[in-house]
Amino acid sequence: MLQIDHLTVRYGDHTAVDDVHLRAEDGEVLCILGPSGCGKSTLLRAVAGLVHPTAGEIHLDGRALDGLRPDQRRVGLMFQDHALFPHRTVADNVGFGPRMQGLSRSDIAARVEESLALVDLAGTDVRDVTSLSGGEQQRVALARAIAAQPGLLMLDEPLGSLDRALRDRLLTDLPPLLRSLGTTVVYVTHDQDEALALADRIAVMQAGQIAQVGEPDELWQAPRTEFVARFLGLDPILDATVHDGVATTAVGRLPLPDQPDGPTRIALLLHALRLVDDLQPVRPDEVAISGRVIARRFAGDHLRVAVRTDRDVELAVPVWRGRGPVAGDEVTVALATAAVHPLQDTTPQ
């Protein structure tokens, strides 16, 4: 179990990590999600002992890490660029950690064999790492981190340098692999899809601070701040005025029965919007919004249609079947009122 309290890292006048409290449970996969420059990699490096905190405490399994060298912390860290030793064999790379731990030659060989089997690279131990594909090198780097049998495994943007097809395949392979280790994993990424595919819990980081921590479904269904909502791709964020449980917005009047009277801002949750057609007319729990298609783009397994409403609000509407409308078409968008979420922090981002 990892426990971080009041962790602060400053570089001169710049605060990279600002009074962070975070906990990762034993065997949990915790993703730290945030944009570039938010401090997530600095946080990992502080835990690994590669960066000295300005303030705060870090404990792993109840043991204080303050003052311990990186090799004394039982922490494995895998970087985005893999940082493999070039022109060395796979076995030399994977066995580096056990060698530094002073294990015997036979124990090192056993660790290498076991770790390569876990990442589906059994039998590659004598190959030169430069002869491997990018995906194979990524798995060698993961095997090297595993071979040291760390109490905590930390992965810093491990899929960031891979092409889309390979990244998608590894996103399928990684979750069962990480859980099979039985080790606490902290996984840093700026990609929402990665975090949602891998994490037991996600910590969204903003400007050196933790904006919100929760299970993936919790973040999707109840983002607390506008930053979290926008970073997860929930858009638009609408101004609203609530009176007697009804919010007046630029897309119509929407029920918000538990929201106090006054101004607020609301997010439209995932799948809040759909196009109305003859097969799926507007339901009683939906609000109909008229608009015109201004653009469309393919987003993997569906089409995203940009619709500008009659009151000049742009909505991104998913289309899951058929060819969908084209630019210039007049359409009706159905907004599910149950998928409207008031934000706690109403400061525009």
Side-chain angles (χ1 to χ4, degrees):
M1 184 269 291
L2 173 69
Q3 180 73 42
I4 299 172
D5 294 299
H6 297 291
L7 186 68
T8 298
V9 179
R10 295 192 184 95
Y11 301 108
D13 294 334
H14 173 64
T15 301
V17 177
D18 187 6
D19 195 31
V20 162
H21 297 259
L22 196 59
R23 179 185 179 101
E25 301 294 342
D26 188 26
E28 178 182 37
V29 178
L30 173 69
C31 280
I32 302 178
L33 173 66
S36 298
C38 72
K40 54 189 187 295
S41 292
T42 301
L43 177 62
L44 284 200
R45 283 160 172 75
V47 174
L50 304 178
V51 168
H52 296 293
T54 307
E57 297 180 343
I58 305 170
H59 289 80
L60 182 61
D61 292 333
R63 181 178 64 135
L65 300 186
D66 310 74
L68 296 180
R69 299 192 311 268
D71 61 297
Q72 297 173 321
R73 297 190 174 208
R74 290 194 63 238
V75 171
L77 178 57
M78 175 183 165
F79 297 99
Q80 175 179 343
D81 61 2
H82 312 328
L84 296 173
F85 300 118
H87 309 298
R88 301 290 295 273
T89 66
V90 169
D92 287 339
N93 275 273
V94 176
F96 176 76
R99 283 197 301 275
M100 293 299 99
Q101 294 169 345
L103 270 62
S104 68
R105 190 170 296 180
S106 60
D107 287 341
I108 292 171
R111 288 268 191 99
V112 169
E113 183 180 2
E114 177 185 359
S115 301
L116 288 175
L118 279 172
V119 299
D120 197 25
L121 284 178
T124 64
D125 50 310
V126 297
R127 291 183 60 181
D128 191 299
V129 294
T130 57
S131 71
L132 303 177
S133 68
E136 289 171 330
Q137 290 185 20
Q138 187 265 359
R139 284 184 283 161
V140 169
L142 180 57
R144 183 177 63 180
I146 293 169
Q149 294 187 350
L152 172 68
L153 177 61
M154 300 192 298
L155 310 177
D156 189 2
E157 300 274 9
L159 307 185
S161 62
L162 303 179
D163 64 71
R164 183 78 189 191
L166 179 56
R167 174 183 162 277
D168 288 347
R169 181 166 66 81
L170 289 171
L171 275 180
T172 301
D173 296 341
L174 269 177
L177 169 59
L178 294 178
R179 285 170 176 82
S180 72
L181 300 176
T183 300
T184 303
V185 177
V186 178
Y187 187 108
V188 158
T189 181
H190 66 276
D191 188 282
Q192 300 93 324
D193 291 341
E194 284 184 34
L196 293 167
L198 295 169
D200 296 312
R201 287 188 306 138
I202 298 172
V204 181
M205 199 164 183
Q206 175 189 12
Q209 298 180 323
I210 302 298
Q212 186 173 350
V213 181
E215 295 180 1
D217 282 350
E218 178 185 348
L219 294 184
W220 274 119
Q221 298 300 324
R224 284 205 298 262
T225 72
E226 181 168 337
F227 173 84
V228 173
R230 288 192 183 280
F231 197 74
L232 292 174
L234 302 177
D235 203 40
I237 307 298
L238 301 174
D239 288 313
T241 301
V242 180
H243 180 70
D244 289 342
V246 177
T248 301
T249 76
V251 296
R253 290 167 58 81
L254 307 170
L256 283 179
D258 298 322
Q259 187 72 10
D261 287 359
T264 190
R265 287 169 70 78
I266 59 174
L268 305 183
L269 301 182
L270 192 66
H271 304 313
L273 303 170
R274 67 175 182 85
L275 292 182
V276 175
D277 57 28
D278 293 338
L279 296 176
Q280 294 182 317
V282 179
R283 301 190 303 263
D285 62 343
E286 294 177 323
V287 171
I289 306 166
S290 299
R292 181 188 299 270
V293 175
I294 58 173
R296 48 183 270 159
R297 68 177 178 87
F298 288 99
D301 57 352
H302 68 283
L303 179 71
R304 291 186 71 83
V305 176
V307 176
R308 187 168 305 281
T309 74
D310 295 344
R311 297 184 63 178
D312 203 31
V313 176
E314 186 174 323
L315 304 174
V317 186
V319 177
W320 298 94
R321 56 186 177 80
R323 295 184 64 253
V326 298
D329 285 354
E330 299 282 349
V331 295
T332 299
V333 177
L335 167 59
T337 56
V340 175
H341 176 70
L343 300 169
Q344 292 183 20
D345 180 358
T346 58
T347 305
Q349 301 288 328

